[in-house]
Amino acid sequence: MSTENKNWEYADAVEGTGHIKLKEKYGLYINGEWVAPRSKTYFSSTNPHDEAHLAEVAQANKQDVDAAVIAAERAYHDVWSKITPAERGKYIFRIARLMQEQAKELAVIESLDSGKPIREARDIDIPLACNHLFYYAGWADKLDYAFPNQKKEPLGVAGQIIPWNFPLLMAAWKIAPALATGNTVVLKPAETTSLTALKLAEIIDEAGLPPGVVNIVTGFGDTGAAIVAHPKVSKVAFTGSTAVGKLIQKTIAGTDKKATLELGGKSANIIFDDAPLDQAVEGIINGIFFNQGHVCCAGSRLFVQENIADKVIRKLKHRMQSLQIGNPLDKNTDIGAINSSEQLKTINKYIDIGRKEGSECFQVDCALPNKGYYCKPTLFINVAQSSVLAQEEIFGPVLTIQTFRTIDEVIQKANNSPYGLAAGVWTDKGSKIFNLTSKLKAGVVWANTYNKFDPASPFGGYKESGFGREGGLHGLGAYLK
Ligand code: ADP
């Protein structure tokens, strides 16, 4: 990468792949066994960095989903609802420990399959996934303390559908509280990132979890729809787009299925003139460019107080120029590949719209790899509140910048969105932080930091960002009646 303010290069530091074990072809993990799909159909999982084929993955149809749900129901009645909560906890601890042991392999596979930088997979995704399992394993035998004076019971079979931005982490988010509370699971990973969920199935098998307690079925949207519609699924846990979230709500309307939906976002990152600017700029970069902007809570709308706007924009551009873009497996890489060619097309469509709308566009001056799905980190400056770019979720490394003068103005602008997943506030004044946190319609508000996650803190949205909370005690409650 060449930049005007850099006259040095990093030496390549590409993580090895010799230690990873991928099968050529993956079946479905149903009732503790690997089975060929009744559909007889497989699809290819590819590496978004170089478009290389990684493995064949089974495409589950309705009959396959039915077999998985029946296995989960049987396991619920025969085993999982009968063993002691402490035993349930032990199984979850065992899965977490095995994941830790295989962390390096999981991180490399995650990076290969999703395009995310190995540093993030290694330092964030995999450790956080393990932490979620450890956290909920600890709750399994303490539900009476979690919900005193209440008789809580599991729901039954949980149908869980996850997206491609944090594949293994989302699987752990979903599976851990479901198992801790005594439910059984049918989980579907996203079609472009099935591999770490399939490795998780191998780990679950190694942990000796009773057959049928966790079933992993791979496939596309129709596989997910079959899980949602299955009459024996009592709880739907979905993370993904608002459009699919709405379809799911239509399907389950009038049934007694419970649901938690964690949907899209267009989160505001607000920076006041009394903020420590260098720290704030680093947080803004992390907020939007972390994981190529493939984060539902990405800080994709920046609001800067007008009197510091020029300075902040200058600092942002300077910092963006030093970002390393390229091979996700390289330990120097800050920004890896976009997850799929479809997603790259979507992001480029929004960048074109932004240019046509007439906002000032700034892109990092660098060469992108010749192959694979890459997008330059992009800023749009002086974006109108009504602009498509400021309203719609892009799910890519694209930041819009607007200015404000007063607190009331920025609260009004930040809340002027159909979404309400997260927000960030950068200021030296605690009083401003508390003022904003109580008025911003967002499920999570970070102060002087961004994109920090912990298994003990609940996560979820307002408005079209969905409902229900995952993480913490709230996450347990969502799997109990
Ligand atoms: P994105 O647009 O970010 O890919 P989606 O909401 O389409 O997000 O996908 C998230 C997950 O939902 C994926 O696992 C996908 O296969 C699944 N999915 C897509 N369509 C449906 C549907 N109609 N019903 C249930 N799940 C679906």
Side-chain angles (χ1 to χ4, degrees), residues 161-164 188-192 219-228 238-245 247-248 251 343 393 395:
I161 298 161
I162 56 173
W164 42 261
K188 189 194 94 64
E191 49 271 37
T192 53
F220 291 75
D222 55 336
T223 311
I227 295 175
V228 173
F238 172 77
T239 301
S241 61
T242 295
V244 172
L247 287 177
I248 290 177
T251 307
Q343 188 56 27
E393 183 179 42
F395 225 66

Side-chain angles (χ1 to χ4, degrees), residues 131-324:
N131 286 350
H132 266 268
L133 286 152
F134 279 122
Y135 174 78
Y136 281 112
W139 273 122
D141 61 351
K142 301 175 194 69
L143 296 179
D144 290 344
Y145 297 93
F147 305 101
N149 303 320
Q150 297 176 50
K151 180 146 176 44
K152 291 282 190 185
E153 281 173 19
L155 301 169
V157 178
Q160 307 184 320
I161 298 161
I162 56 173
W164 42 261
N165 56 346
F166 293 94
L168 187 67
L169 178 58
M170 286 295 120
W173 268 35
K174 297 271 183 286
I175 289 176
L179 295 190
T181 45
N183 298 275
T184 56
V185 166
V186 175
L187 174 105
K188 189 194 94 64
E191 49 271 37
T192 53
T193 52
S194 306
L195 299 185
T196 45
L198 293 164
K199 291 304 283 187
L200 177 61
E202 291 177 356
I203 288 174
I204 284 170
D205 208 53
E206 203 182 330
L209 195 72
V213 173
V214 172
N215 305 274
I216 296 188
V217 292
T218 43
F220 291 75
D222 55 336
T223 311
I227 295 175
V228 173
H230 198 290
K232 298 230 154 95
V233 166
S234 315
K235 149 94 187 183
V236 176
F238 172 77
T239 301
S241 61
T242 295
V244 172
K246 287 181 181 175
L247 287 177
I248 290 177
Q249 273 185 288
K250 273 193 195 144
T251 307
I252 64 175
T255 71
D256 63 353
K257 288 182 204 282
K258 292 230 170 351
T260 36
L261 304 179
E262 201 258 280
L263 309 175
K266 193 74 189 174
S267 300
N269 217 344
I270 301 168
I271 161 165
F272 287 95
D273 59 4
D274 57 3
L277 290 193
D278 290 329
Q279 200 181 316
V281 164
E282 209 49 42
I284 292 157
I285 295 272
N286 168 37
I288 182 65
F289 300 132
F290 168 53
N291 200 21
Q292 298 71 250
H294 296 339
V295 186
C296 20
C297 54
S300 52
R301 289 183 299 153
L302 175 63
F303 293 97
V304 194
Q305 202 152 19
E306 197 178 72
N307 53 331
I308 52 160
D310 290 345
K311 197 169 174 187
V312 168
I313 292 167
R314 199 173 57 245
K315 279 178 182 282
L316 262 179
K317 288 180 177 172
H318 185 263
R319 178 67 180 93
M320 282 166 71
Q321 278 298 144
S322 67
L323 292 170
Q324 299 287 308

